[in-house]
Each structure stands twice: as C-alpha cells, then as structure tokens.
Amino acid sequence: MTAPSATAAPARVRTGGPRDDGDGPKVLEHVLGWTLVVVIAMLVAQLGLL
C-alpha cells in the first residue's frame, strides 16, 4: 500500500438509515403516527380493554 492510499478516507456508504432532507416527511410521519395512536385508543375504548 502506498502512503496516499493508506491515509485516504474511505467513501461513506449509505445504509438506508434516516436522512435529514427537510421537514416534509417528518411532518407526515408525525401526523400518521398520532393518527395511529388515536385509532388504537378508540379501538381499546370500544372493546372495553381499559
């Protein structure tokens, strides 16, 4: 191995994790998440599980 290739930083590989692309998808995720919480709460109340 030569000195330049030994000290060069490897390229970063994307693993499919979360990205910071803006607030668009985050807002949608929050709305869908809270909608799911409300639907589950309504289901629990209807079934009398609480």
Side-chain angles (χ1 to χ4, degrees), residues 23-47:
D23 290 337
K26 286 185 182 179
V27 171
L28 181 62
E29 278 184 40
H30 284 297
V31 170
L32 291 177
W34 280 109
T35 302
L36 181 63
V37 167
V38 170
V39 167
I40 290 174
M42 288 173 23
L43 179 66
V44 166
Q46 283 289 320
L47 294 176

